[in-house]
Amino acid sequence: MQRRLLVRFLILFLLAVLASTLTVSAWPPKSGVALVLVSVPDNRTVTRLQQTGWPVYERVFGPDGDFVLAGLPENVPSTHSESDLQVKILDKDIADATYYLAGQPVGREEVRWSDYGRVLYDDGVQVVLRMNPKEAERLATTRAHLLLITLDPKPLIPARTTSLIPTGISYDPLIHTMMEQVDIAAAVRTVSELSGETPALVGGEPYTITTRWTDSGEPITKAVQYVGDHLSALGMDVTYHDWTMATWGDILLTSQNVIGEIPGKTRPDDVFMISAHLDSTSRSDTPANDPAPGADDNASGAAAVLMAADILSQYDWDCTLRFALWTGEENGVIGSKAYVRDMVDAGDSVAGVLNLDMLAWNTPGSAPDMDLHARETVTGSVEIAQIFVDVVDLYDLDLTPEIIPDGTNRSDHYRFWQYQMPAILAIEDYWGEPNDFNPDYHTSQDLLGNYDLDYYEDMVKAAVGTYAHLADCLIPPEIPTYTYRVINTYPHDPDAFTQGLVYEAPGYLYEGTGMYQASALRKVKLASGSVVQERILNDQPGENYFGEGVTTWEDEIMQLTWKARTGFVYDKTSFAELGQFAYPTEGWGLTHDGEHLIMSDGTATLHFLDPDTFAEVRSITVTDNDGPVVRLNELEYIQGEIYANVWQTNRIARIDPVTGRVVGWIDLAGLKPEGARNVLNGIAYDAAGDRLFVTGKYWPKLFEIELVPPGQDNAIHLPLITVNNQQLAIDSQR
């Protein structure tokens, strides 16, 4: 008898073990379908699971690998072989069950999960809970992260084997220009209107958006219209994506996502997306979620998406760019869930997603840390995060990003991961311990006044730069070419080998000339061309300097030399030498922007020097659509741009001093006087009179010109007017 009892006990024990083993060899004892966890470490396993026909409910990314929550039917056809699948039964019957994926609240007391429901799985980062809707509503007030697991079958997508994400980026002056277009005041104004601090203009009427809670009715409808109007005003195709999804409390929620699109010119099917959730919540201290300003979470991200749209819509792209604002994120990331599912069902996909969530909180005085949540098992995801890091480095932003390769599921990027679309979450310092997370998260105190504006500005710039590099399909705009009209012509010494030129009021020029044993610094009367003051550069025995560019700085004049790597400082009034300075390159052109000296060296590089120490502060490489522009010579800083003669050409480059990009060309073909012995060189600008002067080496004339924009009558050059040496300049007819 005892032996039979022992045998029965052993049999029951073995059955119990087999029922919960990782290898499927036993079925749940109840009728219906069991909830199971199936490990999917690779595409082979994904294919095997697809072959079973089991319904897949949720793809989950855990610290120990990827898995799916699936349904295990009681009667599986014998033709299926599942012996190589790693399966764990979580719940023996899904009948009348509601399941949630939950994570601990950030910066708050940990939740004891068993107080709210039955814990079916716990990997230390997230749990699977079986709860009734009322328990879920109660748990949501703790600021725990909750995702409803809906029991409708979903496609299971294998990992991609290739990706369109660039594996490395380099500095791009045009993208730098885009980043410098970020208008932080405009972004803050958008945040103020979205968070209810100031009324927003919605449909032409003022409206105060006190909450963006997805179930708020009119307020969220107005917020959706507000962002849609913004994107429409940019000329984008705007889609209002309707969705209805189940959320906590057994409620069906209906709302709209907003997606603006710039269709690609040649590769419209290659789609890249920048996104942020629009909705807000204050359920931690305001159960009604009104007010729910959500200035950081996530008006900061929504405003960044709109700013990116403002800037990138000014350019043409080979691929398609989408700008998405999600609702339902605070209800379990369900707005983006619906969008991605609809996209997959339609056979569509996206090549890469940059999701922005909470960009503006940084404790005063703390390091500018931030997180980039990626997923190593989603091809291309970590590469997007690396682009963000590279953008911060290449464009010298004051941020310290950290890539988290097994990142969180707590925002809309997660819904793209579930279908193997590369995506990342960019967020303030959020993950791990210690962190610097916003303490007013999900409260009515999440206000604009808590922003670190410098931090936020760099976050928005990084987002714009990352998105532009991520898409990698920018069509460089055509650089405009200006021609000219001659307004006045003045005498110029035909024996002056002009290397530098500066206007000095009233009616004078400082001119630096070159050639060995003939270099000088001169003060010249504009109207007559006569030299009224001169200092010979080689005035000491043994000196053999070749003079180059000149500029003025306060009461001083600086002059470069070509190969001697020596510059001179003179008193502007007496021309007395005050000192010398050294530089490690050749010296060509020289100007200043009011803060730094700017020097060319015959290459494509411009050097910015401290005017007191002459130490290099920074440099830029000058480029146009064909690459670096070399042989930059004489320089002049004019209304925020650097004008540069390009040696041995008839062209002057107009250069963005921040990025180095050529923003315009000036074609001076036909200006060279008949019989002139050398090339165009010499630019001066009268800021008070808005007059532009040009000349050349050994030219007998100096010209005041007016630029003619493209498309105007640029083929007609008005007759030159020769001015008698004894007369004042005479304006020509225009």
Side-chain angles (χ1 to χ4, degrees):
M1 182 68 176
Q2 288 180 342
R3 171 180 270 180
R4 286 199 299 271
L5 288 173
L6 179 59
V7 170
R8 288 178 180 175
F9 174 80
L10 289 174
I11 290 172
L12 290 171
F13 176 78
L14 289 172
L15 287 173
V17 170
L18 290 172
S20 60
T21 185
L22 291 178
T23 300
V24 176
S25 56
W27 305 103
K30 292 184 179 180
S31 61
V33 176
L35 181 71
V36 295
L37 181 154
V38 186
S39 177
V40 285
D42 51 39
N43 280 351
R44 183 190 64 81
T45 312
V46 169
T47 301
R48 287 293 303 113
L49 183 56
Q50 289 172 327
Q51 292 170 349
T52 67
W54 300 349
V56 172
Y57 304 134
E58 192 87 4
R59 191 167 194 155
V60 184
F61 304 90
D64 300 321
D66 301 356
F67 61 89
V68 299
L69 299 175
L72 178 62
E74 180 178 5
N75 298 311
V76 176
S78 59
T79 55
H80 290 300
S81 173
E82 295 84 27
S83 61
D84 56 347
L85 291 177
Q86 299 298 299
V87 178
K88 181 177 181 179
I89 297 174
L90 300 183
D91 198 9
K92 293 181 179 180
D93 202 315
I94 66 172
D96 299 321
T98 309
Y99 302 107
Y100 297 84
L101 194 65
Q104 290 287 354
V106 178
R108 290 293 183 272
E109 183 178 348
E110 285 198 356
V111 172
R112 189 169 65 178
W113 301 119
S114 58
D115 289 346
Y116 298 90
R118 182 151 59 93
V119 180
L120 306 178
Y121 168 83
D122 187 345
D123 61 19
V125 174
Q126 58 201 343
V127 297
V128 176
L129 291 172
R130 178 169 177 162
M131 295 187 292
N132 64 48
K134 289 189 179 298
E135 290 170 333
E137 283 283 359
R138 189 165 60 90
L139 178 56
T141 64
T142 68
R143 289 201 273 191
H145 183 69
L146 276 182
L147 297 175
L148 174 66
I149 300 168
T150 55
L151 299 182
D152 54 313
K154 302 171 182 68
L156 181 61
I157 308 296
R160 299 181 180 188
T161 57
T162 60
S163 168
L164 294 179
I165 308 303
T167 55
I169 64 171
S170 56
Y171 175 85
D172 187 321
L174 185 52
I175 292 179
H176 196 176
T177 298
M178 295 177 187
M179 294 167 63
E180 290 302 311
Q181 287 180 263
V182 167
D183 183 347
I184 194 62
V188 166
R189 186 163 55 250
T190 299
V191 171
S192 179
E193 293 171 355
L194 282 173
S195 62
E197 293 207 11
T198 54
L201 201 62
V202 182
E205 298 292 332
Y207 182 85
T208 301
I209 304 171
T210 59
T211 179
R212 302 186 309 281
W213 176 242
T214 300
D215 200 22
S216 63
E218 182 179 80
I220 189 62
T221 301
K222 293 292 188 181
V224 164
Q225 184 180 353
Y226 173 87
V227 297
D229 288 350
H230 189 117
L231 296 172
S232 294
L234 299 173
M236 289 190 188
D237 300 326
V238 177
T239 300
Y240 292 88
H241 171 252
D242 297 307
W243 59 264
T244 299
M245 294 286 289
T247 184
W248 325 307
D250 202 21
I251 295 172
L252 281 179
L253 195 60
T254 297
S255 191
Q256 292 179 314
N257 302 312
V258 185
I259 297 92
E261 181 174 287
I262 303 173
K265 298 290 186 183
T266 61
R267 295 160 38 206
D269 293 336
D270 294 339
V271 179
F272 294 87
M273 180 175 286
I274 186 170
S275 73
H277 73 85
L278 176 64
D279 59 319
S280 65
T281 182
S282 58
R283 60 176 173 261
S284 292
D285 67 355
T286 312
N289 284 292
D290 191 359
D296 187 28
D297 185 18
N298 183 38
S300 64
V305 169
L306 295 180
M307 178 60 63
D310 290 344
I311 296 167
L312 274 59
S313 62
Q314 301 173 35
Y315 300 86
D316 291 326
W317 305 83
D318 279 325
C319 60
T320 295
L321 302 189
R322 288 183 187 160
F323 304 82
L325 287 308
W326 313 114
T327 52
E329 195 270 355
E330 301 291 7
N331 302 85
V333 196
I334 56 177
S336 56
K337 177 181 181 179
Y339 177 83
V340 177
R341 176 63 187 275
D342 287 349
M343 184 170 56
V344 171
D345 287 347
D348 296 330
S349 184
V350 294
V353 181
L354 172 60
N355 185 52
L356 309 174
D357 197 345
M358 304 181 68
L359 306 181
W361 170 267
N362 191 54
T363 298
S366 67
D369 297 333
M370 61 159 299
D371 295 344
L372 298 168
H373 290 261
R375 195 73 200 177
E376 287 181 314
T377 55
V378 178
T379 303
S381 177
V382 173
E383 286 79 2
I384 298 176
Q386 188 59 53
I387 290 173
F388 197 111
V389 171
D390 292 344
V391 164
V392 169
D393 180 54
L394 286 170
Y395 301 99
D396 196 27
L397 300 176
D398 188 19
L399 298 172
T400 307
E402 178 186 2
I403 297 176
I404 301 168
D406 56 348
T408 183
N409 62 3
R410 300 187 183 198
S411 193
D412 298 284
H413 63 290
Y414 170 66
R415 297 308 186 183
F416 294 89
W417 288 355
Q418 290 185 301
Y419 295 96
Q420 291 296 303
M421 301 180 203
I424 68 166
L425 166 65
I427 190 170
E428 60 207 30
D429 186 13
Y430 164 70
W431 202 243
E433 296 292 342
N435 60 52
D436 185 23
F437 196 58
N438 189 339
D440 297 314
Y441 164 71
H442 286 184
T443 75
S444 58
Q445 298 306 304
D446 182 6
L447 302 172
L448 176 57
N450 299 328
Y451 272 30
D452 180 333
L453 290 178
D454 291 337
Y455 179 84
Y456 182 47
E457 181 174 12
D458 279 350
M459 288 283 260
V460 178
K461 286 182 176 180
V464 170
T466 298
Y467 190 39
H469 274 291
L470 166 64
D472 195 28
C473 65
L474 174 65
I475 301 173
E478 182 179 352
I479 298 173
T481 297
Y482 297 78
T483 54
Y484 64 95
R485 294 189 183 96
V486 174
I487 303 304
N488 283 301
T489 181
Y490 304 92
H492 181 252
D493 182 357
D495 294 322
F497 192 82
T498 304
Q499 298 288 73
L501 199 65
V502 180
Y503 180 80
E504 175 75 4
Y508 292 93
L509 297 165
Y510 292 116
E511 183 173 18
T513 65
M515 300 303 288
Y516 290 112
Q517 303 305 317
S519 297
L521 173 66
R522 297 173 164 183
K523 185 174 184 179
V524 179
K525 192 169 185 179
L526 173 63
S528 65
S530 58
V531 177
V532 298
Q533 189 175 358
E534 184 175 39
R535 180 187 176 99
I536 303 301
L537 190 55
N538 299 290
D539 60 352
Q540 299 296 322
E543 289 184 338
N544 195 25
Y545 293 111
F546 191 113
E548 287 285 348
V550 299
T551 193
T552 58
W553 180 263
E554 297 177 348
D555 296 327
E556 300 172 343
I557 301 174
M558 283 81 167
Q559 183 176 26
L560 302 177
T561 61
W562 181 22
K563 293 187 175 182
R565 301 185 178 184
T566 300
F568 293 90
V569 182
Y570 306 109
D571 179 84
K572 192 162 69 172
T573 302
S574 67
F575 283 12
E577 183 180 324
L578 302 177
Q580 299 182 8
F581 59 96
Y583 41 88
T585 64
E586 291 184 359
W588 286 45
L590 190 64
T591 188
H592 72 83
D593 60 5
E595 183 177 1
H596 300 111
L597 303 179
I598 306 171
M599 184 183 83
S600 65
D601 60 10
T603 69
T605 301
L606 295 180
H607 307 271
F608 289 71
L609 311 180
D610 184 296
D612 297 318
T613 66
F614 303 102
E616 183 167 313
V617 175
R618 67 182 182 95
S619 64
I620 57 174
T621 300
V622 177
T623 61
D624 65 2
N625 290 345
D626 297 321
V629 178
V630 297
R631 299 185 299 183
L632 299 173
N633 202 357
E634 219 276 301
L635 307 176
E636 186 75 8
Y637 190 83
I638 301 175
Q639 295 182 353
E641 297 176 1
I642 303 168
Y643 284 42
N645 285 117
V646 180
W647 186 46
Q648 293 184 327
T649 75
N650 293 315
R651 298 197 303 171
I652 292 175
R654 296 175 59 175
I655 303 163
D656 184 319
V658 175
T659 68
R661 178 168 173 77
V662 174
V663 297
W665 287 106
I666 303 171
D667 183 359
L668 296 182
L671 183 63
K672 181 179 178 179
E674 184 177 354
R677 290 183 284 160
N678 214 298
V679 296
L680 178 76
N681 201 47
I683 311 166
Y685 180 63
D686 171 14
D690 190 25
R691 295 187 295 168
L692 178 62
F693 305 98
V694 295
T695 189
K697 305 170 189 277
Y698 294 145
W699 282 20
K701 296 174 182 177
L702 179 144
F703 303 98
E704 178 191 344
I705 63 171
E706 176 183 73
L707 300 186
V708 178
Q712 293 191 17
D713 188 9
N714 53 12
I716 299 175
H717 300 158
L718 298 180
L720 306 185
I721 298 174
T722 302
V723 179
N724 188 292
N725 285 352
Q726 304 302 316
Q727 294 178 343
L728 296 176
I730 302 172
D731 287 341
S732 69
Q733 295 180 350
R734 299 196 178 206

